Amino acid sequence: MKSLANPDVITAIQHLHKAIHAGGVDPLVLELVHLRASQINGCGPCVFAGVQSAKKLGETDERLHSVAAWRETPFFTEQERAALALTEAATRIQDGAPGVTDDIWDAAATSFDEKQLSAIILNIALTGFFNRINHTIREQAGKAWS
């Protein structure tokens, strides 16, 4: 990605990814979080990459097609629902949503320990970082990154 050509930036991102994956969260949950945040932010490249990554982890088309409407489907576990609710609340900071309410936080804290919650929150933030970069440089979905 042209805007991230600085090796220090690449190293920092690698360290963030390492910290996220060291948090003990199921990688598929992390992909669902990434996908949902990217859908909310309208980031085509990240939605595309999120679907591809989730499929590599064994995710089904049925569930992937339902992430945007996860509340209205029977396809997600309570833990996944807690992560998706936290993702939406943390991502929707400009559209009048109430943010992370006590109920949303309590459900996430019941489903995940502190280390896992930290990883999920960092994953949400890093996804927003990439969403904004892709929006700024007008990155195309499906393009092979070098």
Side-chain angles (χ1 to χ4, degrees), residues 31-44:
E31 288 301 335
L32 293 174
V33 164
H34 171 80
L35 177 57
R36 187 63 190 121
S38 296
Q39 289 172 334
I40 291 166
N41 287 327
C43 182

Side-chain angles (χ1 to χ4, degrees), residues 36-37 39-42 87-100 132:
R36 187 63 190 121
Q39 289 172 334
I40 291 166
N41 287 327
T87 300
E88 288 184 358
T91 302
R92 291 198 154 131
I93 56 176
Q94 290 188 343
D95 65 1
V100 179
R132 283 157 180 79

Side-chain angles (χ1 to χ4, degrees), residues 66-76 81:
S66 300
V67 170
W70 61 269
R71 285 181 180 85
E72 289 79 34
T73 70
F75 306 132
F76 301 96
R81 291 174 181 282

Side-chain angles (χ1 to χ4, degrees), residues 70-136:
W70 61 269
R71 285 181 180 85
E72 289 79 34
T73 70
F75 306 132
F76 301 96
T77 67
E78 287 306 309
Q79 186 180 55
E80 291 166 338
R81 291 174 181 282
L84 290 166
L86 181 62
T87 300
E88 288 184 358
T91 302
R92 291 198 154 131
I93 56 176
Q94 290 188 343
D95 65 1
V100 179
T101 64
D102 289 343
D103 288 342
I104 291 169
W105 182 260
D106 291 344
T110 299
S111 296
F112 301 98
D113 65 27
E114 285 186 30
K115 187 174 179 183
Q116 291 171 320
L117 275 174
S118 177
I120 291 169
I121 293 166
L122 184 55
N123 193 44
I124 294 166
L126 188 59
T127 297
F129 170 80
F130 281 117
N131 294 164
R132 283 157 180 79
I133 289 172
N134 286 330
H135 179 75
T136 301

